Amino acid sequence: PSQEDLRKILMHASENYRICAVIMAHSGCRPHVLGNYDGSDGLTIGDFPEMRIDGSKIEFTTVPTMVRVRSGLSKTGRAYFSFLGQEGCDYLKNYLESRIQEGETLDSKSDIIHPKSWSKKFITTSNLSDGIRSAMRSAGFKNRPYVLRSFFATQMLLAESKGTIPHA
């Protein structure tokens, strides 16, 4: 999808699924990284080491900011990192600040994507995929949610061709 296509999808997504789509599209994370199949693990605030919570405000000390993917969330079983650019940081900041304003207390172990059901600590991969798929269909796209990762790959190729980042 193009940047314009992504914006259309985000407009049709609920707040939870919007931030899921943003993280996938802007950091290249797989759905399983955000929330595993049984909802027992997923990205936490601690996985964003450059994010700070100051009362009701969220700040990033560095942008693009690091996204640490722990080995248990990685497809290969090996920890790695990615990053999230300014637009993604803005979406994440607004999402987390709205959770704080609703009375939630956030710390390093708090989930990044809060599930609708309180029976699970993290959003499940299937719920995440269903929510993004629904937003994509509402926006007129027939692709699978996984295509958001190809958006990230395309953006990296464009940045490489402009000399902004090296291939490695």
Side-chain angles (χ1 to χ4, degrees), residues 13-39:
S14 68
E15 195 172 30
N16 270 13
Y17 299 123
R18 184 177 307 126
I19 197 64
C20 292
V22 164
I23 292 174
M24 286 177 63
H26 288 273
S27 74
C29 289
R30 290 179 168 81
H32 186 268
V33 169
L34 297 167
N36 66 6
Y37 291 105
D38 64 2

Side-chain angles (χ1 to χ4, degrees), residues 151-165:
F151 174 85
F152 176 75
T154 301
Q155 297 306 306
M156 293 301 97
L157 286 172
L158 290 171
E160 180 186 4
S161 72
K162 293 176 184 175
T164 308
I165 60 170

